[in-house]
Amino acid sequence: MNLNIKQLLLTPPHATTAIECDFPILEISQLAERESWRKEINRPIYHIHKWWATRLGTVFRAINLGALSRPSTNIWNNFYETHQFTNKVVLDPFMGSGTTLGEAVKLGAKAIGCDINPISTFLVRQAFTRVPETELHATFTRLEQKVAPDIRHYYQTRDPHTGELIPVLYFFWVKTVVTPKFETIPLFSRYVFSQNAYPKKKPKAQIICPNCWNVIENRYDATSLICPHCQHSFNPQKGPASGQYITAQDGTRYRIKDLLPSNGNPPVHRLYAIMALRRNGEKVYLPVREEDLSLYAEAEARLKSETLPLPTLKIRDGYNTKQARSYNYTYWRDFFNSRQLLCLGLLLQGILEIKDTAIQEQMLCLFSSTLEFNSLFCSFKGEGTGAVRHTFSNHILKPERTPLENSVWGTDKSSGTFSTLFESRLMRAKRYLDYPFEIKRNLTVKQKASQKPLASQSINVQTVKTWEQFDNRENSLMVINGDSSYLPLPAKSVDAVVTDPPYFDFIHYSELSDFFFAWLSPVLKDRYPEFAKPNSSNQGEVQDKSPRIFARQLASVFSQCSRVLKDNGVLVFSFHHSKAEGWAAICEAITIAGMLVFATHPVYSELRTATSKTAAKSPICLDAILVCKKYSSFNVRLDEQTLISKTETLAKKLEQGGINISEADRFVILASQILIPLSQQKRDFNFVCNALQQIHQLAQKSWNSKLAI
């Protein structure tokens, strides 16, 4: 295909910002990879509560810096400097967890964030709200005295050695089905239920006997075992469940979904093992005894007699919820067993009795965050790592066949409980407001930083809801819940728009955020109108499996961004996609909004070992940073070979700096570069798709020939 594009000009004409000219892709990618290993520690303010596809603060600090600086500015040389972009205004129309906002105010700019999802606006308000640390600790202590003993009562077991009651860290459950011959079968794929994250170094594992249900300690890879308790011989690596099928004792295979309860309830669970904590700090695995079952029955009975603030919301049918619904999960309360519902309800009830609204909402945010690690969709990650694999580890709500029940309040040895998240998430985020540190650059990306440079003043902003309030205060942060297609802002009032649009065809945020909305809506609906709705969805969501519809939805937001953006301002956003249709949709949205792509920069965006990435044959770990402006045209021209060559140059630069680049990452780089001439020519959707596909084929031939050499 002849695109009639001939020459590359490195610096676009009429550049008004540094990010149009250059971007330190290697240095920022190296820092970003360091951040991605422990995002909740390195940028705690954006991880006070679950949000999906949270972008890396390092990257967005550099983007904001480049978008607000003059063309001659060296972004990397100024990265660790303290800045004061007084009266500069940055807008994020898809604010999510608030990454853009935090990085903008750290640079001394004012920031406006808008999101259509009520969970987003609630968590962002809580993240930037300053409350005295002493008051938070005092409230936590009072809450602990009031409700923790009640909750801890249901998370204890008897130590068989001493006879004393000791705290339970985790209860291990397994789903069961009943065959037409009335055989109850647990959905174990293997009987090894706990092993170390590095089993070759530490081969000790915990195995459940399928005959007597006692816990056996042996090697993680044992293939033949005789139970020391009942002498049953079995292969620990071979359970009755395999894929979508189970095998009965007589050898008959059944499809699991065909054996789900006919009454429409979720599958029945069986409690099969316990991890408890002895007085000396030793963790011990124990089998389930009658006393443990009686304690659960006590929780079940009490739940029926209590009036607690529990969710009643029904689960909507959608892309991210269909698997849960196919297992008969109909209501959000079905995600929790009776003990979890009782203890979470008691905790929420205690929080609602806190008189100070600001403190109460901080605790509500912490409570909501705790839900992610305390549902029947959680599982055990194993020893030597964070124990709890959270509810959203697969993005879609995939029913867990061997759920892990966490201990809700928790101990100092727990993971993902209310008490541990108080320190690791809430308090860490509050301290970051005072000391907003950066990550020190180091050539070994996994090595811990020896220092945390303070490159910003403390974050001390007042959250407001209207433009008038925002415009009249210096240190103000405007947080809007609503459709970004209708921004309540004056024309040409924003210096830069920096954002990360939704990923159009897979992650439907409101379907997932209903998990939290179901608990928060009943207690917040009288304070915030966005919670007084049937669910967290909205007609104005930019989310659709059709790329053409997504393009039009995104264009309506980008058009608003163009309206409120100053003439010399830039719209900068991150994006990646593995298919030409995704890039064609982005190109169409930009051109409909009357803007052009002036520059693109590839940068590291996501940990390659994330659960959603490990299953991919060629995972994408780069984002393209697209820099757009309102000019009607400019004179940058590219030919196919120059595009391919530039893609390879950028990929090689990142690889030589230690960033692994997949074939899909190369496509991200190539596709983003192609948008520069195609947005200028205002090509239609089909043309862009065809151009991307054809140039990608040429590029693959070039890359493969170099690999062969």
Side-chain angles (χ1 to χ4, degrees):
M1 175 177 292
N2 182 8
L3 295 179
N4 190 28
I5 45 183
K6 300 177 180 178
Q7 181 186 3
L8 169 65
L9 301 178
L10 291 177
T11 303
H14 312 299
T16 55
T17 64
I19 200 166
E20 298 167 62
C21 307
D22 197 14
F23 193 77
I25 63 170
L26 176 57
E27 294 86 350
I28 296 303
S29 291
Q30 289 173 332
L31 282 185
E33 186 170 15
R34 288 179 61 81
E35 180 184 336
S36 70
W37 283 96
R38 293 300 301 274
K39 292 188 286 187
E40 74 281 4
I41 291 177
N42 292 319
R43 279 297 197 283
I45 192 173
Y46 314 128
H47 299 278
I48 192 172
H49 188 285
K50 172 67 181 178
W51 195 254
W52 295 267
T54 298
R55 298 295 88 181
L56 297 170
T58 295
V59 174
F60 275 71
R61 176 180 176 84
I63 292 173
N64 275 285
L65 181 57
L68 297 175
S69 298
R70 294 177 179 177
S72 58
T73 303
N74 185 305
I75 297 172
W76 178 242
N77 287 348
N78 283 268
F79 185 83
Y80 288 108
E81 298 296 320
T82 301
H83 298 272
Q84 194 61 43
F85 288 102
T86 306
N87 296 324
K88 292 285 188 180
V89 177
V90 176
L91 165 70
D92 186 348
F94 302 106
M95 70 178 173
S97 65
T99 305
T100 295
L101 311 187
E103 298 308 313
V105 298
K106 282 166 58 181
L107 294 171
K110 299 172 72 173
I112 302 169
C114 182
D115 206 287
I116 204 164
N117 193 294
I119 300 299
S120 167
T121 49
F122 180 70
L123 74 90
V124 169
R125 287 187 187 117
Q126 301 315 310
F128 289 97
T129 296
R130 277 184 166 273
V131 289
E133 188 173 330
T134 53
E135 290 187 23
L136 278 175
H137 273 291
T139 302
F140 177 82
T141 300
R142 287 193 294 270
L143 196 60
E144 183 174 27
Q145 293 169 348
K146 187 169 186 177
V147 303
D150 222 3
I151 295 172
R152 287 172 178 151
H153 168 73
Y154 296 102
Y155 290 93
Q156 58 182 346
T157 190
R158 198 166 297 280
D159 189 330
H161 289 176
T162 65
E164 66 178 340
L165 290 171
I166 56 176
V168 168
L169 295 176
Y170 310 110
F171 288 111
F172 295 83
W173 295 81
V174 61
K175 283 181 169 61
T176 64
V177 292
V178 180
T179 71
K181 297 178 181 179
F182 303 105
E183 179 186 348
T184 299
I185 302 179
L187 301 186
F188 286 118
S189 59
R190 60 199 291 250
Y191 296 110
V192 179
F193 69 89
S194 173
Q195 66 183 54
N196 195 273
Y198 304 96
K200 291 184 179 179
K201 293 182 180 179
K202 297 183 178 181
K204 183 176 71 174
Q206 306 298 321
I207 302 166
I208 193 75
C209 173
N211 184 57
C212 69
W213 292 76
N214 263 296
V215 176
I216 308 165
E217 189 170 280
N218 209 290
R219 286 184 59 90
Y220 77 98
D221 55 356
T223 56
S224 179
L225 198 61
I226 296 176
C227 175
H229 304 282
C230 69
Q231 308 307 309
H232 177 67
S233 178
F234 66 102
N235 180 356
Q237 308 303 324
K238 192 173 181 181
S242 178
Q244 299 303 312
Y245 295 87
I246 54 101
T247 302
Q249 289 185 0
D250 63 4
T252 306
R253 291 181 80 226
Y254 298 94
R255 187 170 177 265
I256 292 171
K257 286 189 177 180
D258 293 339
L259 301 180
L260 294 177
S262 58
N263 61 5
N265 291 332
V268 174
H269 292 81
R270 175 169 180 168
L271 180 62
Y272 70 89
I274 298 169
M275 184 200 285
L277 188 66
R278 287 187 166 135
R279 282 188 180 275
N280 62 2
E282 176 191 1
K283 296 176 182 177
V284 58
Y285 289 89
L286 299 171
V288 176
R289 291 156 293 183
E290 190 60 40
E291 188 175 11
D292 302 310
L293 298 176
S294 295
L295 185 63
Y296 184 81
E298 179 189 327
E300 273 189 313
R302 183 176 173 184
L303 178 66
K304 292 176 182 177
S305 66
E306 291 273 2
T307 302
L308 296 171
L310 300 177
T312 58
L313 185 64
K314 198 170 184 178
I315 300 172
R316 287 183 286 143
D317 188 21
Y319 178 85
N320 298 108
T321 59
K322 62 184 178 183
Q323 279 194 279
R325 286 171 57 89
S326 72
Y327 268 68
N328 294 343
Y329 288 92
T330 307
Y331 292 87
W332 288 108
R333 67 177 290 156
D334 296 339
F335 274 52
F336 308 87
N337 68 26
S338 294
R339 176 165 41 207
Q340 289 173 321
L341 286 172
L342 172 65
C343 294
L344 289 168
L346 291 171
L347 177 55
L348 180 55
Q349 189 176 63
I351 291 171
L352 293 175
E353 292 173 2
I354 298 170
K355 301 299 183 185
D356 187 309
T357 302
I359 297 291
Q360 185 198 85
E361 290 191 354
Q362 293 284 301
M363 292 299 178
L364 281 173
C365 187
L366 174 62
F367 169 82
S368 184
S369 184
T370 304
L371 297 171
E372 180 187 6
F373 302 93
N374 288 270
S375 84
L376 292 177
F377 279 57
C378 297
S379 59
F380 190 55
K381 290 169 69 176
E383 299 277 12
T385 183
V388 185
R389 184 176 290 109
H390 61 79
T391 300
F392 301 101
S393 59
N394 294 293
H395 291 320
I396 57 172
L397 292 165
K398 181 180 178 182
E400 179 53 52
R401 293 178 180 177
T402 54
L404 184 75
E405 181 187 357
N406 208 346
S407 55
V408 179
W409 188 273
T411 73
D412 58 359
K413 299 291 185 181
S414 297
S415 172
T417 62
F418 187 80
S419 62
T420 55
L421 291 174
F422 174 75
E423 285 296 335
S424 66
R425 295 293 175 94
L426 182 59
M427 295 312 301
R428 189 172 275 152
K430 297 297 106 176
R431 291 169 191 141
Y432 191 85
L433 294 174
D434 289 323
Y435 303 102
F437 61 83
E438 299 302 317
I439 303 168
K440 185 179 179 182
R441 188 188 181 201
N442 196 306
L443 294 178
T444 56
V445 295
K446 296 181 185 179
Q447 182 182 346
K448 289 184 178 179
S450 58
Q451 295 179 2
K452 295 177 179 178
L454 297 177
S456 308
Q457 298 177 0
S458 61
I459 302 172
N460 194 0
V461 293
Q462 183 173 355
T463 304
V464 300
K465 296 181 179 180
T466 67
W467 172 258
E468 290 73 20
Q469 295 169 330
F470 178 82
D471 196 34
N472 292 327
R473 291 185 175 93
E474 282 191 11
N475 298 321
S476 55
L477 172 70
M478 186 175 176
V479 177
I480 308 166
N481 178 264
D483 184 349
S484 291
S485 298
Y486 304 96
L487 292 168
L489 306 174
K492 301 182 181 180
S493 57
V494 170
D495 295 278
V497 178
V498 177
T499 193
D500 176 56
Y503 196 74
F504 77 91
D505 52 357
F506 289 114
I507 305 173
H508 295 256
Y509 299 141
S510 70
E511 291 175 9
L512 300 176
S513 65
D514 276 354
F515 173 80
F516 303 110
F517 185 88
W519 288 86
L520 291 177
S521 174
V523 301
L524 292 176
K525 62 183 180 181
D526 294 331
R527 303 181 199 177
Y528 303 104
E530 58 265 30
F531 280 98
K533 300 189 305 178
N535 51 56
S536 63
S537 67
N538 193 294
Q539 286 187 341
E541 288 177 8
V542 178
Q543 198 87 69
D544 201 281
K545 63 183 180 180
S546 164
R548 300 303 298 274
I549 295 175
F550 171 76
R552 291 196 294 272
Q553 293 172 338
L554 186 59
S556 66
V557 174
F558 280 175
S559 295
Q560 273 291 294
C561 292
S562 178
R563 180 185 69 81
V564 302
L565 191 62
K566 294 178 181 178
D567 289 337
N568 289 330
V570 288
L571 161 65
V572 188
F573 64 95
S574 56
F575 185 75
H576 70 252
H577 206 280
S578 61
K579 297 179 181 178
E581 290 84 356
W583 293 95
I586 287 291
C587 189
E588 185 165 295
I590 293 168
T591 54
I592 290 174
M595 306 190 84
L596 302 176
V597 181
F598 267 55
T600 70
H601 311 290
V603 69
Y604 185 89
S605 66
E606 194 167 353
L607 188 63
R608 196 174 295 275
T609 56
T611 304
S612 57
K613 296 286 184 183
T614 52
K617 183 179 179 181
S618 182
I620 297 175
C621 292
L622 293 184
D623 270 346
I625 307 302
L626 286 81
V627 184
C628 307
K629 298 189 78 173
K630 292 198 284 187
Y631 291 115
S632 59
S633 66
F634 70 102
N635 204 16
V636 172
R637 298 185 178 277
L638 301 163
D639 62 56
E640 290 90 335
Q641 291 305 316
T642 302
L643 286 164
I644 295 169
S645 176
K646 184 170 177 61
T647 297
E648 189 57 34
T649 298
L650 292 169
K652 189 175 181 180
K653 182 176 183 177
L654 291 170
E655 284 181 322
Q656 290 176 340
I659 306 298
N660 293 326
I661 303 296
S662 68
E663 183 178 338
D665 287 325
R666 279 181 163 79
F667 176 70
V668 169
I669 301 173
L670 178 68
S672 65
Q673 293 293 321
I674 293 172
L675 292 197
I676 297 174
L678 292 183
S679 69
Q680 178 193 349
Q681 296 176 9
K682 298 179 176 60
R683 296 293 190 173
D684 64 26
F685 182 91
N686 291 329
F687 184 94
V688 175
C689 278
N690 292 333
L692 282 167
Q693 289 166 351
Q694 292 190 30
I695 296 178
H696 187 214
Q697 289 173 358
L698 288 173
Q700 284 179 309
K701 290 179 181 178
S702 173
W703 298 335
N704 291 337
S705 64
K706 289 181 181 179
L707 287 173
I709 294 172

